[in-house]
Every structure is written in C-alpha cells, then in structure tokens.
Amino acid sequence: REMMSDIEHEHNLLGISYFEPKDTFAERPEVGSVGCVAEVREKQVMDDGRSNILTNGVIRYRITDYVDNAKPYLMAAVDFFEDIEEDEAVLKPKADEIFLLFERIAKAAFDLSGSRGKFPEIQRTDPERLSFVVTAAFTLDNELKYALLEMNSTSERFGRLRGILRSAVVAMEESAGIFKSAHTNGHSKKKLDL
C-alpha cells in the first residue's frame, strides 16, 4: 500500500519480478534475475486499503543490486534491456506466422464462447511487442513465461511460441468445430454423397 502511494510521484511505475522460492530460504529474487517495469494504468482502491490495479509492461530489466531502504518493499538498481536488433526480412515472416496463428486461436475461442458480440479486431504491432502480447494472452506456466521474458531475441521467442501456438490452434479449432456441431444437434448443412 505504501508502494502504491509512493509510485504516484514516480509516474506510476513499479518493477515486477518473478519470484518463487522452492528449496531456498531466499527472501527476494536473485541479483541477475529479470523483471519488467509496469505502469499502473488504472487503480481501484478497496475499502480496506488494498488495490486492484491494471498495468502495462514498459521495459524489461535485470537486477544488478539491491538498495537498502526503510520501506516495506524491495528496491533495486537495475539495467534495462530490449531485444537485439534483427534483420527485418527474417523477422517479418516469423511475425506474420505468429500473428496468423494467434488470430486463428482467438477466432476459435470466440466461436467456443458462442460467438456472442462482435469478434474483436486484433491489432498488428511490431514483432517484439507482438511476441509479448501473445505470451501474455496465454496461460503458460511461470517458468516458461520467465524464459520467454529473459530472451533477448524476438526470433528465438517466436520459435518457442510457434510450437505452442501450432498445437493450441489445432486443439482450439477442433473444439470449436465440435461446439458448433453440438449446437446444430450434429446436423450440418453439408450434404453427403451416399
């Protein structure tokens, strides 16, 4: 709660680092671990002082050291990083493939929902941002999300996502087809030659 108040004077920015102690007694992410600066876009304060927040990822960082403070939350010195620059001619076809797979999955999910409302238009974006939008849209295990966040190559991230999306699109489209058939009592408008 104190951090939420403090960041109002710091452009509503905070750092989010993945931390899941397993066999260790560590109380914080290791120096060298990766996180993301998040901008608080919306904040809803509850009666008890807790907050629901909506954030947007801004830039990734690697923790270089911790800063001692009297705050009830951690503060760290960080180095910011982005993906390495890659040849656009190589990256564009990969981005196009990922976008089309992602769009097919979104369409299948829309069909599974009963096609209520209007299918949302999925905006194309630059390849690096697209790789993170797709990653955020799926319920992936935390270790895989962290591995994708840690990569500094958009092509490499697309390579990992391609396998995930290819298997997901087949399953989603099959489920959407079954859903549609079930809603027509198994009857199709397609005629069969007997």
Side-chain angles (χ1 to χ4, degrees):
R1 293 174 189 166
E2 186 175 335
M3 180 182 69
M4 292 305 296
S5 174
D6 290 349
I7 66 170
E8 287 177 4
H9 309 292
E10 299 295 331
H11 307 289
N12 284 318
L13 300 174
L14 63 114
I16 298 178
S17 295
Y18 172 62
F19 179 60
E20 189 173 335
K22 292 186 179 172
D23 300 323
T24 177
F25 294 103
E27 296 177 3
R28 58 190 185 191
E30 290 182 24
V31 168
S33 63
V34 169
C36 184
V37 173
E39 177 186 20
V40 177
R41 304 297 298 268
E42 292 181 34
K43 177 174 138 180
Q44 176 189 40
V45 180
M46 317 273 261
D47 291 339
D48 64 1
R50 291 179 300 153
S51 297
N52 289 323
I53 61 172
L54 178 65
T55 63
N56 187 41
V58 178
I59 190 168
R60 292 170 291 160
Y61 61 79
R62 191 172 302 279
I63 297 173
T64 58
D65 200 6
Y66 281 94
V67 176
D68 290 328
N69 64 22
K71 301 287 185 181
Y73 54 88
L74 297 172
M75 291 182 69
V78 299
D79 284 335
F80 299 107
F81 72 96
E82 294 180 341
D83 283 357
I84 56 173
E85 207 167 308
E86 297 182 67
D87 183 356
E88 185 66 27
V90 172
L91 205 50
K92 187 175 179 339
K94 293 178 181 183
D96 289 343
E97 179 186 10
I98 294 297
F99 181 84
L100 292 174
L101 287 167
F102 183 54
E103 193 172 50
R104 283 174 58 192
I105 290 169
K107 175 72 172 104
F110 180 71
D111 291 345
L112 280 168
S113 74
S115 301
R116 293 184 204 99
K118 183 181 171 195
F119 181 69
E121 181 182 342
I122 301 171
Q123 298 291 322
R124 285 192 181 257
T125 185
D126 67 89
E128 182 177 350
R129 183 176 300 271
L130 173 65
S131 70
F132 290 119
V133 167
V134 171
T135 299
F138 287 94
T139 305
L140 304 173
D141 67 62
N142 289 334
E143 287 79 14
L144 176 56
K145 277 193 174 186
Y146 182 80
L148 293 167
L149 182 73
E150 197 173 29
M151 291 176 183
N152 68 350
S153 164
T154 305
S155 288
E156 187 180 341
R157 195 173 305 105
F158 279 156
R160 291 288 297 273
L161 288 171
R162 183 183 307 112
I164 294 164
L165 294 178
R166 282 183 175 167
S167 61
V169 76
V170 170
M172 291 287 290
E173 288 176 341
E174 284 177 1
S175 295
I178 291 168
F179 181 82
K180 278 185 174 180
S181 289
H183 278 70
T184 60
N185 288 332
H187 298 288
S188 171
K189 293 179 183 172
K190 190 178 188 181
K191 293 186 177 179
L192 299 175
D193 291 328
L194 298 176

